[in-house]
Structures are given as structure tokens and as C-alpha cells.
Amino acid sequence: MAVSGMTGFGRAEGAAHGVRWIWEAKSVNGRGLDVKLRLPPGFDALEPVVREAAAKRFKRGSLQANLNLRREESAAVARLDKVFIEALIDASKPYVAAGAVAAPRWDGLLQVRGAFSQDDEAEQSAEEKTAFESVLIGGVHQAFDALNESRRAEGRTLAGVFGAMIDRVDNLVALARAEASAAPEAIVERLRTRLQQLAPEIQIDPQRFAQEAALIAARADVAEELERLAAHAAEARSLIAKPEPAGRRLDFLAQELTREANTLCSKSSELTLTRIGLDLKTVIDQLKEQAANVE
């Protein structure tokens, strides 16, 4: 089965130029393809490449891709703002002399925001940054491949669900055919019984009676609706086996199936056939709900 879902998660990570990178990509249902990105400052040039990579793999879904960067400890550069620290010490001297506070300690000074920092961004040349961005682009492809496989795994589950639903539609159509084939005789007998109950003393013209019965039977004929139901079900079965995205087409077929099931119920003159039509509508509603999960 080639059906793909729209819910999934993918991750890729690695390290280059003293920086550890992590790509995370996740997606949920969406009517079209909506890609949201969260990139660190200075890496905006990656956005069109990431969007293109997403568009090549996915056709529908609300997708979010995040890039996190962290300098490896061995490559991190610690920086002290000596001027700021000396200013803090000078500012404390009057309070220490007055006995209001204790003399500042080194460990306390390092806790003051701005006194100590650890660079998270590498100082890179233009060539190094280009090479690093190339690594990041390879990483996002890995993350999207993992996300794609996650969505396909969901699709394999959905394909089984669709297969069972379509089997149910086929079975109900077969039951409806059997019931509809006996409907004309039942209509004639019901009409004759009704006329005898209403006016037993009136002699019914056989030719006129046959004409009226034929008109009623023609209005109640559901053969075309059953043929279209079977054809739509066969098309749905074909779609879930094709490699192309099937979600939009499945949604359209569900609408067509609903239309035919509604007509079947409205034309039915037999309680059993009406119940079959209602069962069809229930299964088709379930199929339509699941189609919203398919790419």
C-alpha cells in the first residue's frame, strides 16, 4: 500500500566545525502544505532550501522544522567582562565600608548577568560558514526522510483501515442489490393489497394497474445508484494502492459515495433496503473522516 499519513516526526543530529546541530521536523493534518521554520539568527539563507526540500517530499500537512545549534564544550570560548566586574566591585565598596553588605566574592560576581559568557556561535570565515551550511542542509534532508517514513508508517495503518471500510461498502452494495431485485414484485403486491383494502368493490383494470405499478417501480429503482456506489468503491480501492497522494481524491469519492447513499435511501420503498442505505452512510462517514488524515 502506498497511502501516506500526515502525522509524524523526524530528527537528525550531528556535529561540524565545533558546533552540534539538531534538526527536528514534525507534521500534523492540513488541507495544503504549510511549512513553518525556526532557525537560529544568521541562518536565514537556509529557509528557501528547507522549503524546497519539504515541497519535494510532502504535498499536504502542517509541517514545522526547527534547527538547534550548540557549541561543543571543547570548542566553547569563555569570556569575562573585566570592566563590568571591576565596576561592580567599585560600586560595592561604600556599602562594604558601611557594614551594609559583605565584600563581593568571586563566585558571586560570576553569577551576575553579563559578567561571564560562553560563546555559542563560532567565529567562522565565509568558506567555513558555507561548508557548515552544506552540512546543515544534508541534516534537514535526513530529518525530512525520517519524517516521511514516519508518515508512511501511519499510511500503512490507514491503508488497512480503508481496505476494511471498502470491503464493508462492497458487502452492503451486494446486499442492497439482492434486496432491490425483489423490490418490484413487492411493490406490485403491496399496491394490489392497498387498493383492495381501500376499495374492495372496485374492479381494477389489469392494464392500468400494470402501468401504475411499473411507474412506481421505476421511481424506486436503485440500480444506477448501486452501480455508481460499486464504481466509487473500486476507485477508492485503486487509490490506496497507488504511489500518488490520495487524500484529496479520497475525500471527493467520499462525497460522491454519500450522495449515492442518500439517493438510495430516498428512493427506497423497502425498510430493509433503507437500513442498508443507512449502514452505507455510516461507513462512508467513517471513510471521509479517515480521508482527512491522508496526504
Side-chain angles (χ1 to χ4, degrees):
M1 298 296 183
V3 168
S4 178
M6 286 189 281
T7 302
F9 177 80
R11 176 186 171 98
E13 59 182 296
H17 302 278
V19 179
R20 186 150 198 86
W21 55 265
I22 299 174
W23 278 106
E24 290 185 341
K26 58 184 179 181
S27 68
V28 295
N29 296 355
R31 295 185 64 84
L33 180 61
D34 180 23
V35 181
K36 296 182 175 66
L37 303 179
R38 190 171 67 188
L39 303 173
F43 289 88
D44 294 340
L46 293 178
E47 182 171 346
V49 181
V50 175
R51 291 188 180 278
E52 181 181 1
K56 285 182 177 179
R57 290 170 175 80
F58 312 111
K59 301 303 178 186
R60 295 178 71 193
S62 179
L63 187 152
Q64 171 137 15
N66 301 328
L67 172 62
N68 295 306
L69 302 178
R70 180 170 57 84
R71 178 169 291 281
E72 295 182 313
E73 292 184 5
S74 60
V77 178
R79 298 185 185 278
L80 293 177
D81 190 335
K82 296 179 180 179
V83 174
F84 180 55
I85 292 174
E86 289 173 358
L88 290 174
I89 294 173
D90 290 341
S92 70
K93 287 179 179 178
Y95 300 98
V96 172
V101 298
R105 292 164 49 92
W106 182 246
D107 56 350
L109 289 169
L110 293 182
Q111 296 298 320
V112 177
R113 186 180 182 86
F116 171 82
S117 64
Q118 190 172 16
D119 284 353
D120 292 327
E121 298 180 1
E123 293 292 336
Q124 296 176 330
S125 65
E127 293 78 8
E128 288 175 332
K129 185 169 184 180
T130 299
F132 184 51
E133 287 180 348
S134 179
V135 172
L136 295 178
I137 291 170
V140 79
H141 282 291
Q142 295 174 31
F144 282 166
D145 286 342
L147 173 61
N148 196 26
E149 179 53 37
S150 178
R151 287 165 56 124
R152 288 186 178 276
E154 183 192 33
R156 289 190 286 271
T157 300
L158 288 173
V161 173
F162 279 116
M165 289 179 179
I166 297 169
D167 287 344
R168 178 64 174 155
V169 171
D170 285 339
N171 292 337
L172 289 170
V173 169
L175 289 173
R177 277 203 179 101
E179 190 65 29
S181 65
E185 291 80 3
I187 290 171
V188 170
E189 187 58 34
R190 187 163 57 248
L191 180 59
R192 179 179 288 109
T193 301
R194 185 62 173 162
L195 289 172
Q196 288 175 351
Q197 290 174 344
L198 292 173
E201 72 283 357
I202 297 177
Q203 293 296 321
I204 303 172
D205 179 8
Q207 185 175 358
R208 179 62 183 276
F209 176 81
Q211 291 174 346
E212 293 297 329
L215 288 172
I216 295 173
R219 286 195 293 268
D221 182 29
V222 294
E224 290 186 8
E225 286 73 23
L226 293 176
E227 287 300 323
R228 284 192 288 268
L229 281 165
H232 293 329
E235 177 66 13
R237 194 183 299 278
S238 173
L239 280 174
I240 63 176
K242 292 180 179 179
E244 296 84 5
R248 293 184 184 277
R249 183 63 178 167
L250 282 170
D251 184 71
F252 171 76
L253 283 176
Q255 295 178 38
E256 294 300 305
L257 285 164
T258 299
R259 184 178 293 109
E260 300 302 335
N262 285 334
T263 305
L264 173 66
C265 290
S266 65
K267 293 176 70 172
S268 171
S269 59
E270 299 294 328
L271 180 59
T272 303
L273 187 58
T274 300
R275 286 174 175 167
I276 293 173
L278 293 174
D279 288 343
L280 273 168
K281 290 177 63 175
T282 299
V283 178
I284 294 166
D285 283 345
Q286 294 170 351
L287 191 150
K288 182 175 177 62
E289 288 177 3
Q290 291 296 340
N293 299 319
V294 177
E295 183 179 17

